[in-house]
Amino acid sequence: MYFYIYYKGYSKLMDENRLNILNESNRMLSKLQLLSVFFEDELIYKLYLRTQVIHKLFETNPEIDINKLELFHVQFTTSLVDLLRKIKKNNENNVSLVLDEIQLTKEMVDQMDDNALTEQDFKIDRQRQALKVNLSLRKLYQVLSDNSNDYPFSKNINAFSLRYGSDFFYNITPDLYNELVQYNYNDTYHNTNAIIQRKLMGILLKREFRTEFYCGLKAGNLILEIYKFMDEDRHFLFSPANNLFLFCDVTKLSGIENNSNLSKKEKLAHELQDKIDKLQSDVVTMKSYMPPEIKSLLAENYKKIADINFLQSLSDVDVQANILKAMLNTDII
Protein backbone atom coordinates (compact mmCIF):
# COMPACT_ATOMS: atom_id res chain seq x y z
CA MET A 1 0.00 0.00 0.00
CA TYR A 2 2.81 2.34 0.91
CA PHE A 3 4.59 1.49 -2.33
CA TYR A 4 1.43 2.13 -4.32
CA ILE A 5 0.96 5.58 -2.75
CA TYR A 6 4.64 6.37 -3.30
CA TYR A 7 4.36 5.26 -6.93
CA LYS A 8 1.25 7.34 -7.49
CA GLY A 9 2.96 10.38 -5.98
CA TYR A 10 6.07 9.81 -8.04
CA SER A 11 4.00 9.34 -11.18
CA LYS A 12 2.10 12.53 -10.53
CA LEU A 13 5.35 14.37 -9.97
CA MET A 14 6.73 13.00 -13.21
CA ASP A 15 3.59 14.03 -15.06
CA GLU A 16 3.88 17.57 -13.70
CA ASN A 17 7.53 17.67 -14.66
CA ARG A 18 6.69 16.49 -18.16
CA LEU A 19 3.91 19.06 -18.47
CA ASN A 20 6.16 21.88 -17.26
CA ILE A 21 8.89 20.95 -19.72
CA LEU A 22 6.40 20.76 -22.60
CA ASN A 23 4.88 24.11 -21.63
CA GLU A 24 8.30 25.72 -21.45
CA SER A 25 9.14 24.13 -24.78
CA ASN A 26 6.02 25.66 -26.31
CA ARG A 27 7.01 29.07 -24.99
CA MET A 28 10.44 28.63 -26.54
CA LEU A 29 8.81 27.67 -29.85
CA SER A 30 6.67 30.81 -29.75
CA LYS A 31 9.76 32.97 -29.26
CA LEU A 32 11.54 31.28 -32.16
CA GLN A 33 8.47 31.62 -34.37
CA LEU A 34 8.26 35.37 -33.71
CA LEU A 35 11.94 35.74 -34.54
CA SER A 36 11.51 33.78 -37.77
CA VAL A 37 8.68 36.16 -38.75
CA PHE A 38 10.80 39.20 -37.89
CA PHE A 39 13.84 38.13 -39.90
CA GLU A 40 11.86 36.58 -42.76
CA ASP A 41 14.83 34.28 -43.25
CA GLU A 42 14.34 30.81 -44.72
CA LEU A 43 17.06 29.26 -42.58
CA ILE A 44 15.60 30.59 -39.32
CA TYR A 45 12.16 29.39 -40.38
CA LYS A 46 13.61 25.92 -41.06
CA LEU A 47 15.23 25.93 -37.63
CA TYR A 48 11.87 26.81 -36.11
CA LEU A 49 10.10 24.03 -38.01
CA ARG A 50 12.74 21.47 -37.06
CA THR A 51 12.56 22.51 -33.40
CA GLN A 52 8.80 22.15 -33.62
CA VAL A 53 9.21 18.60 -34.99
CA ILE A 54 11.54 17.75 -32.11
CA HIS A 55 9.03 19.11 -29.62
CA LYS A 56 6.26 17.07 -31.25
CA LEU A 57 8.42 13.96 -31.05
CA PHE A 58 8.64 14.25 -27.27
CA GLU A 59 5.04 15.35 -26.86
CA THR A 60 3.64 12.31 -28.69
CA ASN A 61 6.10 9.75 -27.33
CA PRO A 62 5.88 9.65 -23.53
CA GLU A 63 8.36 6.80 -23.39
CA ILE A 64 11.19 9.14 -24.51
CA ASP A 65 12.96 10.84 -21.66
CA ILE A 66 11.37 14.30 -21.51
CA ASN A 67 14.46 15.67 -19.83
CA LYS A 68 16.29 15.35 -23.13
CA LEU A 69 13.88 17.91 -24.60
CA GLU A 70 14.74 20.28 -21.77
CA LEU A 71 18.42 19.59 -22.34
CA PHE A 72 18.01 20.27 -26.05
CA HIS A 73 16.46 23.69 -25.39
CA VAL A 74 19.05 24.54 -22.73
CA GLN A 75 21.93 23.58 -24.98
CA PHE A 76 20.57 24.90 -28.26
CA THR A 77 17.30 26.82 -28.49
CA THR A 78 17.92 29.21 -25.58
CA SER A 79 21.27 30.30 -26.98
CA LEU A 80 19.79 30.58 -30.46
CA VAL A 81 16.93 32.78 -29.25
CA ASP A 82 19.30 34.96 -27.22
CA LEU A 83 21.59 35.38 -30.23
CA LEU A 84 18.73 36.25 -32.59
CA ARG A 85 17.30 38.69 -30.06
CA LYS A 86 20.64 40.43 -29.79
CA ILE A 87 20.85 40.74 -33.57
CA LYS A 88 17.23 41.93 -33.68
CA LYS A 89 17.90 44.61 -31.05
CA ASN A 90 21.04 45.74 -32.84
CA ASN A 91 19.20 45.91 -36.16
CA GLU A 92 16.32 47.82 -34.60
CA ASN A 93 18.75 50.34 -33.10
CA ASN A 94 20.38 50.84 -36.49
CA VAL A 95 16.98 51.18 -38.15
CA SER A 96 15.94 53.70 -35.50
CA LEU A 97 18.99 55.85 -36.29
CA VAL A 98 18.22 55.71 -40.00
CA LEU A 99 14.55 56.58 -39.42
CA ASP A 100 15.66 59.59 -37.35
CA GLU A 101 17.93 60.64 -40.22
CA ILE A 102 15.07 60.22 -42.69
CA GLN A 103 12.80 62.38 -40.52
CA LEU A 104 15.40 65.14 -40.14
CA THR A 105 16.11 65.08 -43.88
CA LYS A 106 12.39 65.31 -44.65
CA GLU A 107 12.12 68.35 -42.37
CA MET A 108 15.03 69.97 -44.21
CA VAL A 109 13.34 69.32 -47.57
CA ASP A 110 10.05 70.75 -46.28
CA GLN A 111 11.80 73.91 -45.05
CA MET A 112 13.58 74.30 -48.38
CA ASP A 113 10.31 73.82 -50.26
CA ASP A 114 8.74 76.59 -48.20
CA ASN A 115 11.57 79.04 -48.83
CA ALA A 116 12.99 78.09 -52.21
CA LEU A 117 12.32 79.92 -55.43
CA THR A 118 10.96 77.31 -57.78
CA GLU A 119 11.77 76.58 -61.39
CA GLN A 120 8.27 77.72 -62.30
CA ASP A 121 8.87 81.08 -60.57
CA PHE A 122 12.06 81.50 -62.57
CA LYS A 123 10.42 80.60 -65.90
CA ILE A 124 7.67 83.17 -65.38
CA ASP A 125 9.94 85.96 -64.15
CA ARG A 126 12.57 85.51 -66.84
CA GLN A 127 9.86 86.09 -69.46
CA ARG A 128 8.89 89.28 -67.64
CA GLN A 129 12.53 90.30 -67.44
CA ALA A 130 13.04 89.73 -71.17
CA LEU A 131 10.02 91.97 -71.82
CA LYS A 132 11.48 94.68 -69.54
CA VAL A 133 14.84 94.52 -71.31
CA ASN A 134 13.23 94.63 -74.76
CA LEU A 135 11.14 97.66 -73.78
CA SER A 136 14.19 99.32 -72.22
CA LEU A 137 16.24 98.77 -75.38
CA ARG A 138 13.46 100.20 -77.53
CA LYS A 139 13.29 103.23 -75.24
CA LEU A 140 17.10 103.51 -75.29
CA TYR A 141 17.02 103.64 -79.09
CA GLN A 142 14.53 106.53 -78.96
CA VAL A 143 16.57 108.35 -76.29
CA LEU A 144 19.77 108.03 -78.32
CA SER A 145 17.99 109.05 -81.53
CA ASP A 146 16.50 112.11 -79.87
CA ASN A 147 19.71 112.89 -77.99
CA SER A 148 17.58 112.94 -74.86
CA ASN A 149 18.62 112.53 -71.24
CA ASP A 150 15.49 110.54 -70.34
CA TYR A 151 16.07 107.40 -68.30
CA PRO A 152 15.30 104.47 -70.65
CA PHE A 153 15.11 101.52 -68.29
CA SER A 154 11.98 99.85 -67.00
CA LYS A 155 11.17 100.02 -63.31
CA ASN A 156 13.02 97.50 -61.12
CA ILE A 157 14.98 96.08 -64.03
CA ASN A 158 17.73 94.94 -61.65
CA ALA A 159 15.34 93.12 -59.29
CA PHE A 160 15.40 89.97 -61.41
CA SER A 161 19.15 89.32 -61.05
CA LEU A 162 19.05 90.24 -57.36
CA ARG A 163 16.29 87.73 -56.75
CA TYR A 164 17.51 84.81 -58.85
CA GLY A 165 21.25 85.40 -59.19
CA SER A 166 22.37 83.35 -56.19
CA ASP A 167 20.35 80.25 -57.08
CA PHE A 168 19.79 80.22 -60.84
CA PHE A 169 22.77 82.03 -62.38
CA TYR A 170 25.88 80.09 -63.35
CA ASN A 171 29.26 80.79 -61.81
CA ILE A 172 32.06 82.01 -64.06
CA THR A 173 35.61 83.10 -63.30
CA PRO A 174 36.52 86.80 -62.94
CA ASP A 175 38.80 86.37 -65.96
CA LEU A 176 35.93 85.18 -68.14
CA TYR A 177 33.75 87.99 -66.84
CA ASN A 178 36.39 90.56 -67.78
CA GLU A 179 36.78 88.97 -71.20
CA LEU A 180 33.04 89.11 -71.89
CA VAL A 181 32.66 92.79 -70.97
CA GLN A 182 35.64 94.05 -73.00
CA TYR A 183 34.65 96.51 -75.80
CA ASN A 184 35.90 99.34 -77.94
CA TYR A 185 34.35 102.56 -76.66
CA ASN A 186 34.40 104.05 -80.18
CA ASP A 187 32.17 101.23 -81.41
CA THR A 188 29.35 102.11 -79.02
CA TYR A 189 26.43 104.43 -78.58
CA HIS A 190 26.56 105.87 -75.08
CA ASN A 191 25.15 108.48 -72.77
CA THR A 192 24.99 108.93 -69.01
CA ASN A 193 22.51 106.06 -68.66
CA ALA A 194 23.74 103.24 -70.92
CA ILE A 195 26.36 101.89 -73.32
CA ILE A 196 25.47 99.68 -76.30
CA GLN A 197 27.45 98.46 -79.30
CA ARG A 198 26.42 100.17 -82.50
CA LYS A 199 26.07 96.93 -84.47
CA LEU A 200 24.03 95.41 -81.67
CA MET A 201 21.58 98.29 -81.74
CA GLY A 202 21.30 97.88 -85.49
CA ILE A 203 20.44 94.18 -85.20
CA LEU A 204 17.97 94.90 -82.39
CA LEU A 205 16.21 97.50 -84.51
CA LYS A 206 16.14 95.13 -87.50
CA ARG A 207 14.70 92.31 -85.32
CA GLU A 208 12.18 94.65 -83.71
CA PHE A 209 13.73 94.17 -80.26
CA ARG A 210 12.45 90.60 -80.03
CA THR A 211 14.75 88.68 -77.68
CA GLU A 212 14.45 86.14 -74.90
CA PHE A 213 16.38 85.43 -71.73
CA TYR A 214 19.06 82.79 -72.31
CA CYS A 215 20.92 82.42 -68.99
CA GLY A 216 22.44 84.35 -66.11
CA LEU A 217 26.12 84.50 -65.15
CA LYS A 218 27.87 85.65 -62.02
CA ALA A 219 31.45 86.17 -60.92
CA GLY A 220 31.22 86.87 -57.22
CA ASN A 221 28.86 89.85 -56.92
CA LEU A 222 29.20 90.74 -60.61
CA ILE A 223 26.17 89.76 -62.68
CA LEU A 224 25.57 89.30 -66.41
CA GLU A 225 22.29 88.49 -68.10
CA ILE A 226 22.55 86.77 -71.49
CA TYR A 227 19.80 87.20 -74.10
CA LYS A 228 19.16 85.50 -77.44
CA PHE A 229 17.53 86.85 -80.57
CA MET A 230 14.36 84.91 -81.29
CA ASP A 231 14.95 84.77 -85.04
CA GLU A 232 18.61 83.77 -85.09
CA ASP A 233 21.28 82.10 -83.02
CA ARG A 234 22.98 85.27 -81.79
CA HIS A 235 23.34 86.50 -78.24
CA PHE A 236 24.12 89.61 -76.27
CA LEU A 237 24.80 90.43 -72.66
CA PHE A 238 23.38 92.98 -70.28
CA SER A 239 25.51 94.10 -67.36
CA PRO A 240 23.23 95.64 -64.70
CA ALA A 241 26.24 97.14 -62.90
CA ASN A 242 26.86 99.71 -65.65
CA ASN A 243 23.91 99.22 -68.03
CA LEU A 244 26.20 97.80 -70.70
CA PHE A 245 24.94 95.89 -73.77
CA LEU A 246 27.41 93.88 -75.89
CA PHE A 247 27.37 90.97 -78.30
CA CYS A 248 28.20 87.73 -76.49
CA ASP A 249 30.00 84.75 -77.96
CA VAL A 250 28.27 81.86 -76.14
CA THR A 251 30.92 79.39 -77.30
CA LYS A 252 32.99 80.87 -74.48
CA LEU A 253 30.36 79.46 -72.11
CA SER A 254 30.69 75.90 -73.41
CA GLY A 255 31.86 74.61 -70.04
CA ILE A 256 28.75 75.92 -68.29
CA GLU A 257 25.68 73.75 -67.90
CA ASN A 258 22.79 75.82 -69.17
CA ASN A 259 20.31 73.02 -69.78
CA SER A 260 18.82 73.11 -66.29
CA ASN A 261 17.02 75.93 -64.56
CA LEU A 262 16.76 74.22 -61.20
CA SER A 263 17.93 76.45 -58.40
CA LYS A 264 20.68 75.31 -56.09
CA LYS A 265 18.13 74.84 -53.35
CA GLU A 266 15.91 72.76 -55.61
CA LYS A 267 18.87 70.66 -56.72
CA LEU A 268 19.81 70.10 -53.10
CA ALA A 269 16.20 69.22 -52.30
CA HIS A 270 16.21 66.63 -55.11
CA GLU A 271 19.49 65.20 -53.82
CA LEU A 272 18.07 64.99 -50.31
CA GLN A 273 14.94 63.27 -51.61
CA ASP A 274 17.12 60.72 -53.41
CA LYS A 275 18.93 60.20 -50.12
CA ILE A 276 15.60 59.65 -48.34
CA ASP A 277 14.55 57.07 -50.95
CA LYS A 278 17.83 55.21 -50.54
CA LEU A 279 17.63 55.26 -46.74
CA GLN A 280 14.06 53.95 -46.85
CA SER A 281 15.25 51.13 -49.07
CA ASP A 282 18.13 50.44 -46.67
CA VAL A 283 15.72 50.19 -43.73
CA VAL A 284 14.10 47.10 -45.24
CA THR A 285 17.48 45.38 -45.57
CA MET A 286 18.83 46.55 -42.23
CA LYS A 287 15.80 45.28 -40.31
CA SER A 288 16.48 41.63 -41.14
CA TYR A 289 20.26 41.80 -41.65
CA MET A 290 22.13 38.71 -40.55
CA PRO A 291 25.96 38.66 -40.42
CA PRO A 292 27.33 36.04 -42.86
CA GLU A 293 29.36 34.34 -40.09
CA ILE A 294 26.20 33.79 -38.06
CA LYS A 295 24.23 32.52 -41.07
CA SER A 296 26.97 29.98 -41.63
CA LEU A 297 26.79 28.91 -37.99
CA LEU A 298 23.00 28.60 -38.12
CA ALA A 299 23.31 26.43 -41.21
CA GLU A 300 25.65 24.10 -39.31
CA ASN A 301 23.23 23.95 -36.41
CA TYR A 302 20.32 23.15 -38.68
CA LYS A 303 22.33 20.34 -40.22
CA LYS A 304 23.05 19.04 -36.72
CA ILE A 305 19.45 19.00 -35.44
CA ALA A 306 18.12 17.75 -38.79
CA ASP A 307 20.10 14.54 -38.27
CA ILE A 308 17.66 11.80 -37.52
CA ASN A 309 20.06 10.37 -34.94
CA PHE A 310 20.61 13.66 -33.12
CA LEU A 311 19.14 12.33 -29.85
CA GLN A 312 21.88 9.76 -29.61
CA SER A 313 24.52 12.49 -29.94
CA LEU A 314 22.74 15.21 -28.00
CA SER A 315 25.92 16.00 -26.11
CA ASP A 316 27.46 17.13 -29.41
CA VAL A 317 24.83 19.85 -29.63
CA ASP A 318 26.50 21.37 -26.61
CA VAL A 319 29.52 22.16 -28.76
CA GLN A 320 27.33 24.10 -31.17
CA ALA A 321 25.61 25.79 -28.22
CA ASN A 322 28.94 26.98 -26.89
CA ILE A 323 29.71 28.51 -30.29
CA LEU A 324 26.32 30.24 -30.29
CA LYS A 325 26.97 31.62 -26.82
CA ALA A 326 30.42 32.80 -27.90
CA MET A 327 28.80 34.70 -30.74
CA LEU A 328 26.84 36.71 -28.18
CA ASN A 329 30.08 38.20 -26.89
CA THR A 330 31.67 39.12 -30.22
CA ASP A 331 31.67 42.33 -32.28
CA ILE A 332 30.30 40.54 -35.34
CA ILE A 333 26.76 41.65 -34.52
Side-chain angles (χ1 to χ4, degrees), residues 33-276:
Q33 181 186 29
L34 290 174
L35 288 166
S36 70
V37 172
F38 175 84
F39 283 101
E40 296 181 339
D41 184 276
E42 181 183 1
L43 181 55
I44 297 175
Y45 188 66
K46 287 168 67 175
L47 284 165
Y48 160 67
L49 289 180
R50 185 59 185 167
T51 305
Q52 193 175 38
V53 168
I54 292 170
H55 170 89
K56 203 70 177 176
L57 176 67
F58 283 92
E59 186 178 45
T60 57
N61 293 276
E63 69 277 8
I64 302 178
D65 184 1
I66 194 66
N67 292 299
K68 285 192 174 184
L69 175 61
E70 183 179 37
L71 179 62
F72 166 72
H73 284 310
V74 168
Q75 291 184 336
F76 175 74
T77 320
T78 301
S79 298
L80 174 63
V81 168
D82 288 344
L83 180 63
L84 293 178
R85 279 180 167 176
K86 182 177 180 181
I87 297 171
K88 176 177 179 288
K89 183 178 180 180
N90 187 67
N91 289 356
E92 287 175 335
N93 288 339
N94 290 335
V95 167
S96 179
L97 291 174
V98 173
L99 290 176
D100 288 344
E101 185 176 0
I102 289 173
Q103 182 59 36
L104 290 173
T105 307
K106 283 182 176 180
E107 291 174 3
M108 287 178 60
V109 172
D110 290 341
Q111 290 176 359
M112 293 175 69
D113 286 343
D114 291 340
N115 300 324
L117 295 168
T118 66
E119 180 182 359
Q120 187 61 30
D121 294 331
F122 180 63
K123 285 182 177 179
I124 293 173
D125 283 351
R126 72 181 184 179
Q127 293 174 354
R128 293 172 179 166
Q129 179 68 0
L131 179 59
K132 284 184 179 182
V133 169
N134 290 337
L135 291 173
S136 298
L137 286 167
R138 188 183 296 273
K139 182 66 179 296
L140 178 60
Y141 168 74
Q142 295 174 349
V143 167
L144 291 172
S145 297
D146 298 341
N147 197 24
S148 167
N149 290 323
D150 291 346
Y151 186 73
F153 293 100
S154 299
K155 184 178 179 180
N156 297 326
I157 195 169
N158 294 335
F160 175 76
S161 59
L162 291 174
R163 186 180 188 195
Y164 292 99
S166 61
D167 286 336
F168 286 84
F169 285 22
Y170 301 103
N171 290 309
I172 60 173
T173 64
D175 289 342
L176 179 54
Y177 175 89
N178 290 330
E179 183 180 348
L180 292 174
V181 297
Q182 289 297 317
Y183 66 96
N184 186 334
Y185 190 77
N186 294 326
D187 293 337
T188 65
Y189 295 117
H190 44 268
N191 63 13
T192 57
N193 295 311
I195 302 171
I196 184 169
Q197 283 180 317
R198 292 175 181 268
K199 289 184 178 180
L200 175 56
M201 179 61 84
I203 296 296
L204 286 165
L205 182 61
K206 184 178 180 180
R207 301 301 182 193
E208 298 181 344
F209 301 94
R210 296 178 64 249
T211 73
E212 61 185 352
F213 182 85
Y214 180 70
C215 72
L217 308 173
K218 62 177 180 177
N221 294 324
L222 299 172
I223 295 291
L224 294 177
E225 296 175 13
I226 310 299
Y227 292 85
K228 177 183 177 299
F229 288 98
M230 289 186 177
D231 299 327
E232 59 180 301
D233 192 23
R234 297 184 73 176
H235 304 76
F236 67 92
L237 64 82
F238 166 49
S239 171
N242 53 358
N243 294 331
L244 173 67
F245 295 90
L246 302 174
F247 279 116
C248 180
D249 181 3
V250 294
T251 60
K252 295 179 180 180
L253 311 180
S254 57
I256 298 173
E257 296 180 6
N258 58 2
N259 58 348
S260 172
N261 292 318
L262 289 177
S263 73
K264 291 178 181 177
K265 289 180 181 178
E266 281 190 295
K267 288 178 181 177
L268 179 57
H270 285 308
E271 291 173 1
L272 291 175
Q273 186 59 54
D274 290 341
K275 178 182 177 181
I276 290 171

Side-chain angles (χ1 to χ4, degrees), residues 47 76 296-306 320-321 324:
L47 284 165
F76 175 74
S296 177
L297 177 63
L298 296 182
E300 292 178 19
N301 278 283
Y302 175 73
K303 184 178 179 181
K304 174 70 68 173
I305 67 173
Q320 297 293 95
L324 283 171

